[in-house]
Amino acid sequence: MKFIDIAPIARIHAFLDNVDVGDHWVHGDLEVYSCKLAGLDKKLSRSLDEDVRVSSSPLEYSKSPVGPLSEASSRKTLIYLILTLNHAYPDYDFSQLKADNFCKEPGLSSVEEAVDTHLLEISRVWENTPNAGDSSFLDSLWMAIDEAIVLKESDVYSYKSDLESDPFGENGSVWSFNFFFYNKKMKRILYFSCRATSKAAAAKQESSDAKYNSDADAEQDVSKYGMANEMDL
């Protein structure tokens, strides 16, 4: 997978880095990748393809959220989704994900509604952003996405987080969404994810972490002091 730098997408991606919306923060990722594989991605793709063919159930072979896994095109779709997550979050390994960790969305309208509902609050923040232009945030967002991926030609998938082995289950999580817009003709995936975290929960966690570090330092000092006294004896 190769990251594709597209100016309107990069601009919105930068804007979505910790947006203050009152009692919580919104953090988003908006990135575009080519599905042309090379190097380590190609090697991992072969390994994942073998794993899928060996470990899939008879039911998954005939039907899964990405299509019948008996078909090479369906397995490729699953592998592209996994590789996209690996590139978007390099500190995590998504190689063990299965087809049922994803869902194919029934249509674009429901996806647009979910995104617009969650991101309505940050529109006014966008209005105060330098060089925001005359378009609203949501209009700018969907125009940029359509320019990058051609929405009417794309299938949309979502990732169902387990809230433990990925970034979406962090302390104070309020909501999150993860969508993949896959245009087979363009051999391109646009990944769009957002999550909101409570400021109060984050502050509580920071206070807890600070207390833990303070207690740990105190215990270390006591241990060192005790060792020094023993040496004096």
Side-chain angles (χ1 to χ4, degrees):
M1 307 287 284
K2 180 181 179 182
F3 174 77
I4 303 175
D5 188 8
I6 301 174
I9 294 293
R11 182 180 175 217
I12 294 175
H13 175 83
F15 169 73
L16 289 172
D17 184 25
N18 291 329
V19 183
D20 186 344
V21 289
D23 60 352
H24 59 274
W25 298 95
V26 173
H27 174 79
D29 294 294
L30 185 65
E31 298 177 337
V32 182
Y33 294 92
S34 165
C35 294
K36 295 179 181 178
L37 305 183
L40 292 176
D41 278 341
K42 183 175 286 188
K43 183 177 180 180
L44 180 56
S45 173
R46 294 194 191 102
S47 175
L48 289 172
D49 186 73
E50 178 66 20
D51 288 345
V52 171
R53 286 190 285 115
V54 170
S55 63
S56 297
S57 67
L59 178 60
E60 289 174 321
Y61 244 68
S62 61
K63 183 181 180 181
S64 86
V66 297
L69 295 180
S70 57
E71 298 179 5
S73 60
S74 298
R75 298 197 300 274
K76 279 185 179 180
T77 297
L78 174 59
I79 290 167
Y80 292 153
L81 298 179
I82 292 172
L83 292 178
T84 297
L85 287 173
N86 276 347
H87 278 272
Y89 307 107
D91 292 336
Y92 296 84
D93 181 9
F94 296 89
S95 301
Q96 302 303 313
L97 293 183
K98 305 298 182 184
D100 59 6
N101 291 115
F102 300 93
C103 176
K104 185 174 183 180
E105 297 299 319
L108 182 60
S109 59
S110 60
V111 174
E112 290 178 330
E113 182 178 356
V115 170
D116 291 355
T117 299
H118 282 114
L119 299 186
L120 186 61
E121 289 181 285
I122 71 175
S123 295
R124 58 180 177 272
V125 181
W126 172 263
E127 293 171 0
N128 297 321
T129 301
N131 303 317
D134 296 330
S135 298
S136 69
F137 170 71
L138 293 175
D139 285 344
S140 299
L141 170 68
W142 289 114
M143 284 190 292
I145 291 177
D146 191 41
E147 178 183 330
I149 203 71
V150 186
L151 286 167
K152 66 181 181 180
E153 298 178 359
S154 302
D155 292 325
V156 186
Y157 297 88
S158 56
Y159 165 58
K160 297 183 288 186
S161 169
D162 63 6
L163 303 180
E164 294 180 358
S165 58
D166 54 41
F168 311 109
E170 60 189 326
N171 186 56
S173 177
V174 179
W175 54 258
S176 68
F177 63 72
N178 307 271
F179 293 116
F180 306 78
F181 299 82
Y182 176 32
N183 188 317
K184 291 183 180 180
K185 186 186 299 184
M186 297 176 71
K187 296 182 179 180
R188 180 181 290 187
I189 284 182
L190 181 144
Y191 174 66
F192 186 26
S193 170
C194 279
R195 59 189 184 274
T197 53
S198 164
K199 287 183 179 180
K204 185 177 181 180
Q205 183 64 43
E206 288 179 4
S207 176
S208 177
D209 290 344
K211 184 178 185 303
Y212 174 81
N213 291 332
S214 176
D215 291 345
D217 290 341
E219 290 179 4
Q220 188 175 17
D221 290 342
V222 169
S223 177
K224 288 181 178 179
Y225 180 75
M227 290 178 64
N229 284 344
E230 290 178 5
M231 291 176 67
D232 292 339
L233 293 174

